[in-house]
Amino acid sequence: MTSQIQIKDKHFNLFLSEKEILDAIRQTAIKMEQDLKELQPLFICVLNGAFMFASDLLKLFDFPCEITFIRLKSYEGTQTDGRVKEVQGLIEKIENRHVVILEDIIDTGHTVARLKAYILSQQPASFRVASLLFKPGALLNDIQPDYAAIHIPNDFIVGYGLDYDGLGRNLRNIYKIKN
Ligand code: IMP
Ligand code: MG
């Protein structure tokens, strides 16, 4: 397994293997299934970063559920600027639905806070957030994921959906920036 990679000007070390990621997703799926199996939830995958997580997670469920996508963007390079731009909105009706947001990572929490405000304004039956990764040390908002598969320190990472300047999303492992 490649333990070091370079993307543009930055060097990264292996941080989480595909197996560690999938094991954590399986554990999270067990908890989610208990809570959601009777609710016919509407999963909303936040593009681009959550596409791999959503795919691997949702394949583990065999209860009725619906899946849709929203596209948001807040990062340029390795820094968030706090402004979350909505790129592609939701067309599904959210009213009276049990909504579960699927995120790749919660960093400052700006994205989820903005999304939560929007979804709650549409009167869902319930609102939950599932994130593959959670950086508690970077959180600047009053939100907590209902499900967070892996807690990580406040370092920039790439792979398994997460990018550096558009690259690295396809990597099967997660890599951490070398300082
Ligand atoms: P937040 O709004 O600050 O919580 O950031 C959320 C979004 O920023 C995530 O959905 C990711 O797309 C991106 N992001 C946050 N941390 C990282 C990272 O370490 N690497 C790559 N993208 C990140
Ligand atoms: Mg994202």
Side-chain angles (χ1 to χ4, degrees):
M1 194 186 297
T2 321
S3 63
Q4 296 189 10
I5 58 162
Q6 181 173 355
I7 299 179
K8 295 190 174 172
D9 56 323
K10 305 260 188 265
H11 295 264
F12 297 83
N13 288 325
L14 181 65
F15 178 52
L16 296 164
S17 69
E18 180 179 33
K19 181 177 184 308
E20 290 173 299
I21 298 165
L22 294 176
D23 284 349
I25 292 174
R26 253 178 245 117
Q27 294 303 314
T28 307
I30 293 168
K31 290 185 217 143
M32 291 178 74
E33 172 157 17
Q34 285 163 3
D35 297 347
L36 302 169
K37 63 184 175 211
E38 308 294 341
L39 301 180
Q40 197 173 311
L42 174 64
F43 290 107
I44 303 178
C45 169
V46 182
L47 295 173
N48 296 332
F51 77 102
M52 278 203 192
F53 171 51
S55 170
D56 284 330
L57 175 76
L58 296 175
K59 281 184 275 184
L60 299 171
F61 297 145
D62 52 15
F63 56 83
C65 60
E66 289 170 57
I67 299 143
T68 189
F69 301 86
I70 190 168
R71 190 162 181 209
L72 299 162
K73 198 163 174 271
S74 63
Y75 253 65
E76 298 294 342
T78 60
Q79 293 292 312
T80 181
D81 65 4
R83 284 170 299 163
V84 179
K85 293 164 269 188
E86 186 169 331
V87 182
Q88 184 200 309
L90 268 181
I91 47 173
E92 282 73 12
K93 221 172 128 253
I94 289 170
E95 198 179 336
N96 293 325
R97 298 302 310 272
H98 294 279
V99 171
V100 185
I101 297 294
L102 300 178
E103 254 290 23
D104 52 355
I105 186 164
I106 297 179
D107 185 45
T108 64
H110 290 319
T111 308
V112 167
R114 156 118 190 237
L115 208 46
K116 182 175 179 179
Y118 172 74
I119 302 232
L120 292 184
S121 76
Q122 311 288 305
Q123 273 103 40
S126 66
F127 174 83
R128 293 176 175 83
V129 176
S131 187
L132 173 66
L133 299 148
F134 182 34
K135 288 182 187 170
L139 195 62
L140 297 174
N141 284 272
D142 186 20
I143 51 121
Q144 288 292 328
D146 299 271
Y147 314 96
I150 308 171
H151 287 227
I152 62 167
N154 200 359
D155 299 304
F156 188 77
I157 54 170
V158 291
Y160 197 79
L162 293 125
D163 70 305
Y164 168 52
D165 232 3
L167 297 175
R169 293 193 196 276
N170 56 304
L171 299 166
R172 61 181 60 236
N173 306 304
I174 291 178
Y175 297 83
K176 181 160 94 175
I177 200 159
K178 240 192 213 174
N179 294 308

